[in-house]
Amino acid sequence: HQYKGIRQSCKEEGILFQAYSSLGSQWVHHRGHSTNPVLTNPTLEGIANKYGVSVAQVIINWATRHSVSVLPASTNAQRQKDNLNSFGFQFSDEEMLAIDDLDGKVPKPAEKNPNEVSVVFANHGDGPINSFWVSDSNEDIHVGSINAGGGELLLTSFHGHRFVFRDKDGSIKGEHVVHRGNGQEQ
């Protein structure tokens, strides 16, 4: 919930409003949901995809534009960096209103796309590996890092997506093309 009335009262009194569980973890930990409906919200996912950012970055950007203090917790170094880099894009007024309109609404999950595939990339090497999705324009988009000695990166991707894996020097150590014929989980 966005607590619009309380936020307005705080603003009028010069009080900084602090968000609680702004990325939606309360839905899983305290409200009995098996998945986080905030991070899987179709509206938020659509906006995130448009700007090439995560849903968490969309939420942080939106909240701070409303003068809300956000303290996302993560022990994952990449997510910490991503959270700090949540301000490199600007929403349209329509997108801000679309997010505002989500207040109190828990969406039903969208039907699963038949081309969607869950992938787990594992690193059994001696050094960390950076994972990149290769876009249609052949641009490498960093999607995460995998620690050495069995570290894993879990992603949802789609049939035909190509990934490359680079060491710390940028040398390609491998690649993978997602193929739905290999199953919904790869």
Side-chain angles (χ1 to χ4, degrees):
H1 296 282
Q2 298 175 17
Y3 301 107
K4 293 174 185 174
I6 295 172
R7 283 194 346 240
Q8 183 60 37
S9 295
C10 287
K11 185 177 181 179
E12 291 168 3
E13 297 296 326
I15 299 168
L16 180 62
F17 184 85
Q18 171 66 56
Y20 169 77
S21 192
S22 51
L23 301 182
S25 61
Q26 80 275 11
W27 291 100
V28 174
H29 299 298
H30 304 296
R31 297 185 183 202
H33 286 249
S34 60
T35 60
N36 182 331
V38 174
L39 295 180
T40 58
N41 179 284
T43 299
L44 298 173
E45 287 180 330
I47 293 169
N49 289 337
K50 176 181 176 181
Y51 294 102
V53 298
S54 69
V55 170
Q57 289 174 298
V58 168
I59 295 166
I60 293 166
N61 186 308
W62 170 85
T64 55
R65 284 188 60 189
H66 277 301
S67 300
V68 172
S69 173
V70 181
L71 298 172
S74 180
T75 57
N76 179 295
Q78 185 60 50
R79 284 192 195 126
Q80 292 170 351
K81 289 176 189 173
D82 290 346
N83 291 344
L84 290 171
N85 291 316
S86 295
F87 309 103
F89 59 100
Q90 192 74 17
F91 298 123
S92 68
D93 292 340
E94 293 79 19
E95 290 164 333
M96 283 294 289
L97 290 172
I99 298 171
D100 290 346
D101 191 47
L102 296 175
D103 189 21
K105 299 175 185 171
V106 179
K108 295 177 184 169
E111 288 186 32
K112 189 168 184 171
N113 182 323
N115 289 320
E116 185 176 297
V117 178
S118 297
V119 292
V120 178
F121 298 125
N123 178 7
H124 298 289
D126 296 331
I129 294 290
N130 286 304
S131 304
F132 298 86
W133 168 64
V134 181
S135 71
D136 292 337
S137 61
N138 224 21
E139 180 182 359
D140 287 358
I141 310 295
H142 187 260
V143 295
S145 298
I146 311 172
N147 292 329
E152 294 182 339
L153 176 65
L154 290 78
L155 297 173
T156 299
S157 189
F158 294 90
H159 174 75
H161 279 185
R162 186 167 68 101
F163 294 86
V164 294
F165 309 98
R166 299 179 182 273
D167 64 16
K168 65 181 179 179
D169 298 322
S171 298
I172 294 178
K173 293 299 183 182
E175 70 176 75
H176 177 77
V177 177
V178 176
H179 192 282
R180 70 173 171 251
N182 295 337
Q184 292 294 81
E185 296 183 6
Q186 297 181 25

